[in-house]
Every structure is written in C-alpha cells, then in structure tokens.
Amino acid sequence: MVHRLAIYDMDRTVTVTGTYTGFLIHVARRMAPWRLALFPGVILLMLAYVLKLVTRQRLKELNQALMIGFNVERAKLMPHVESYADKVMATNVRQGALAQIAHDRADGCRLVLATASYRLYVEPIARRLGFDAVIATDHLSQDLRYVRAKIAGENCYDTGKLRMIKGWMTAEAIDRAHAHIRAYSDHVSDAPMLEYADQPFAANPHRPLAKLAAERGWPRVDWS
C-alpha cells in the first residue's frame, strides 16, 4: 500500500499573509481591548528576536502573554478562535491554494497542514479547509482547561517541523518507503520538508526559496 500525502505549510502558502499577529489582535480586541495598548511591546520583542536576544519560540510565548494573557480559560477563548478562523477563510486564503487542495484530495492524497502556527487556531482553519491532519506548534496546556502562554516541545519550524512530520508518520504507521509525498511551502525554512518530499513545490516563494528551488529544480507555483 502506498500512502499518498500532500503536506502544506500554512502562512503565506495557503494564506496570503501571516496569521499569528492577526490572531493575537483579533483575540485581544474581543477579550480585553485594553491589551491593544501593549502592542508596541510585540514590536519590541520582534526587534529583540531579529537581534537574537530571544529565540523564536520564546518570542511567540511572550507575545501571547502580552496580547492574550499567561493563562486564559479555554471555554472563553474558543469562540474567538472560531471567529478568527472564519475571518481567515473569508479574507486571507489563496484561491489557487484552494484549487490545489481540491486537486490533491481528488488525487487520493491525505491532506496534512504542517505549520509553525499554534494548533489552537490552526485546527479550526484546517477543518474549514478540509484537511485530514494537523502538525503544528502545541501549547503546554493543549488539552487542559486553561491555555498557557508556553509551548510544549518544539516550535514546528525548520528542522523541527520535519522531525514532527516524521513523528506523525510513525504514529500513523506510515513507512516512508511506502509513502509518496507532495509538499508545498513559501519559505526557505521549510527546505528540510521540501527535500524530504518526492514532489516539492515552492509555492509563492520569497526570494531565498525561489533561488533554492531554481538550484534544486523544484517546480514553482504562484497562487493568487
């Protein structure tokens, strides 16, 4: 049996723009509008990341703590998570990506969304897009009453994303030797995932990935 997988990055691959900052603002505006006054702190933290003063993982944790809180009751948070997923679907999804997703589904692929974004809001988006599985960054309190601004395990990014894909395949009893993988991403940080695939695609690539794709002979697709 051959397992046919189509693995998609989310931000700027399936979506037009990133989703994380929009998620923070969306939730803050609805749950605690006063937190919007803290948004300059998010910008300062991003500068600290650029200067390598904080890790990418810590950046995400601190931004969430600022804009949403260190501990948020899940039952109060989830309606706003769902409304954010509706907003993404209405305003931030590439039509070309939707067409490719439909094509891969019709071609018998199992659809997997693999993203550094938080599972908390990725799963509602993936559900609306018709994906079969999600590989994403998890909160430490993923299944508990309160959502903590703390990441469990790895940020699903770069080589960490590939490790998480391999871990998911192991859990699903999918032998790489018996799998055919298509992979789509816009960003060079997903080079490990693309190299792992049988059919890698540079989707709406930024310049570094476009250059790497040309060197490796990976097809480029540009979705509107």
Side-chain angles (χ1 to χ4, degrees):
M1 177 182 178
V2 175
H3 298 271
R4 298 178 62 81
L5 305 176
I7 305 177
Y8 288 74
D9 174 51
M10 185 175 77
D11 286 0
R12 299 182 180 87
T13 300
V14 174
T15 65
V16 178
T17 63
T19 59
Y20 180 57
T21 301
F23 167 70
L24 295 177
I25 293 173
H26 180 90
V27 173
R29 183 174 289 137
R30 283 154 180 78
M31 292 192 71
W34 62 268
R35 287 187 179 275
L36 294 174
L38 303 177
F39 189 73
V42 172
I43 297 173
L44 289 174
L45 285 168
M46 291 177 69
L47 178 60
Y49 168 69
V50 171
L51 295 174
K52 301 186 184 302
L53 299 177
V54 297
T55 65
R56 191 179 187 90
Q57 180 163 327
R58 188 60 177 152
L59 172 68
K60 293 170 73 170
E61 294 171 343
L62 292 171
N63 282 343
Q64 181 177 328
L66 274 178
M67 300 302 294
I68 299 177
F70 284 100
N71 292 282
V72 183
E73 191 171 354
R74 187 176 297 274
K76 293 181 179 179
L77 178 61
M78 290 313 295
H80 307 299
V81 173
E82 293 290 340
S83 67
Y84 182 65
D86 287 335
K87 182 178 179 180
V88 170
M89 292 299 299
T91 65
N92 195 19
V93 175
R94 297 183 186 275
Q95 294 305 306
L98 293 179
Q100 187 63 50
I101 290 166
H103 173 80
D104 286 339
R105 183 186 300 113
D107 208 23
C109 292
R110 189 173 181 182
L111 301 173
V112 182
L113 195 59
T115 172
S117 296
Y118 280 121
R119 181 182 301 276
L120 177 73
Y121 73 85
V122 171
E123 285 190 335
I125 295 170
R127 191 166 61 244
R128 287 161 172 77
L129 289 168
F131 276 83
D132 301 301
V134 169
I135 300 168
T137 303
D138 283 313
H139 284 95
L140 189 62
S141 53
Q142 186 68 34
D143 300 314
L144 302 180
R145 177 182 173 186
Y146 285 88
V147 176
R148 292 177 57 193
K150 185 71 175 175
I151 290 174
E154 288 191 90
N155 188 30
C156 187
Y157 183 78
D158 202 276
T159 55
K161 179 184 285 192
L162 179 58
R163 281 191 293 272
M164 292 173 75
I165 290 170
K166 290 179 177 180
W168 175 81
M169 289 174 65
T170 297
E172 294 293 312
I174 298 174
D175 187 335
R176 180 65 184 91
H178 299 130
H180 184 275
I181 301 174
R182 297 172 183 169
Y184 306 86
S185 180
D186 72 291
H187 200 271
V188 73
S189 64
D190 277 328
M193 175 183 76
L194 295 171
E195 289 172 342
Y196 189 65
D198 299 287
Q199 290 182 278
F201 294 91
N204 321 297
H206 71 154
R207 185 174 296 176
L209 180 59
K211 179 180 178 182
L212 180 64
E215 291 171 355
R216 300 290 175 83
W218 297 341
R220 171 175 176 156
V221 292
D222 291 284
W223 296 327
S224 59

